[in-house]
Amino acid sequence: MCGRMTMTHPTDAMAQLFEAAPANDLPEPPTYNLCPTQSVGVVVSGDGRSYRPMRWGFLPHWYKAMNGGPLLINARAETIAEKPAFKAAVRERRCLIAATGFYEWTKDEEGNRLPWYFSRPGGEPMVFAGIWQMWGKDDPVPTCAIVTTGAGEWMAETHHREPVVLAEDDWATWLGESGEKAAPLMRSSPGGYYQRWRVDRAVNSNRASGPDLIEPI
């Protein structure tokens, strides 16, 4: 599962990386505690690629309000093609969700939540497989979710799920640009893909912010 993220790379640099036209209202980095229901930078493909903000929290069309059902920040790869909320989106509306890193939690013997920060060893951005959907009629809101899968051997030491991370060579396939099937991409990352370290429990609050949140302890 992926429930908190960071984004520290400049918007223009990310747009160039994706060869995508950036929207004017993307969230301004750096962000060290990006939480569900906030805006995240998402790449979609249509008449060319665009890099745009979306609400993190997928809203099925039948929700009558934003809080009209469970908060769907993740979509399980194993069932995504069957779930009514996701099956059309995974066929027709796949996207790339960019982040610098993300947090996961373990518990100590007393049940306290202990946060860990995950990033790439070289500091480069990671790109998650995502799905998206417009919600609402009068003023449609773009919404998205991160696709997750069972944790690989290394990630399983911390959590039983992990986000599906896409290599650059797979971006076009996930976006539906190559004509190839995207299902084989929904797999765990190889060992050594991530680096991780414990961080302060301050990040347990969704109101916390600042670069100190990702400092090792």
Side-chain angles (χ1 to χ4, degrees):
M1 180 174 181
C2 182
R4 301 276 189 88
M5 297 188 288
T6 64
M7 171 48 76
T8 61
H9 295 280
T11 297
D12 288 347
M14 295 303 299
Q16 291 177 16
L17 175 66
F18 292 120
E19 299 181 348
N24 295 324
D25 53 348
L26 282 156
E28 188 66 28
T31 304
Y32 294 94
N33 192 9
L34 208 161
C35 303
T37 74
Q38 294 179 345
S39 290
V40 296
V42 173
V43 177
V44 297
S45 184
D47 184 14
R49 293 180 183 176
S50 61
Y51 185 41
R52 56 180 296 188
M54 289 192 184
R55 177 189 187 269
W56 183 17
F58 190 95
L59 295 174
H61 66 84
W62 60 81
Y63 279 22
K64 297 187 181 301
M66 286 189 175
N67 60 355
L71 182 60
L72 305 176
I73 62 172
N74 298 147
R76 295 175 67 94
E78 299 87 343
T79 58
I80 194 171
E82 305 164 6
K83 292 289 186 181
F86 303 135
K87 62 182 182 180
V90 77
R91 290 196 308 267
E92 305 164 6
R93 294 183 299 279
R94 297 191 297 269
C95 63
L96 310 177
I97 301 176
T100 305
F102 64 94
Y103 301 96
E104 286 293 359
W105 281 261
T106 57
K107 289 185 178 180
D108 62 18
E109 295 178 354
E110 299 176 352
N112 297 308
R113 299 178 72 231
L114 307 178
W116 296 76
Y117 183 63
F118 290 76
S119 65
R120 292 300 315 279
E124 62 268 32
M126 56 184 70
V127 178
F128 302 139
I131 55 173
W132 68 279
Q133 176 160 290
M134 300 297 291
W135 176 84
K137 295 181 180 180
D138 297 331
D139 189 14
V141 176
T143 71
C144 65
I146 295 170
V147 180
T148 67
T149 189
E153 183 177 356
W154 186 85
M155 183 71 185
E157 297 176 11
T158 308
H159 200 273
H160 66 285
R161 305 288 299 174
E162 67 175 279
V164 171
V165 181
L166 300 173
E168 186 170 355
D169 290 345
D170 296 326
W171 295 351
T173 298
W174 186 256
L175 289 173
E177 298 171 344
S178 68
E180 300 176 11
K181 293 184 178 180
L185 302 180
M186 293 188 287
R187 57 183 182 265
S188 60
S189 299
Y193 181 85
Y194 300 114
Q195 61 182 356
R196 67 180 174 195
W197 56 82
R198 271 286 317 281
V199 293
D200 193 271
R201 284 191 288 174
V203 77
N204 291 0
S205 169
N206 59 14
R207 295 185 295 274
S209 63
D212 290 349
L213 295 180
I214 64 171
E215 288 297 316
I217 62 169

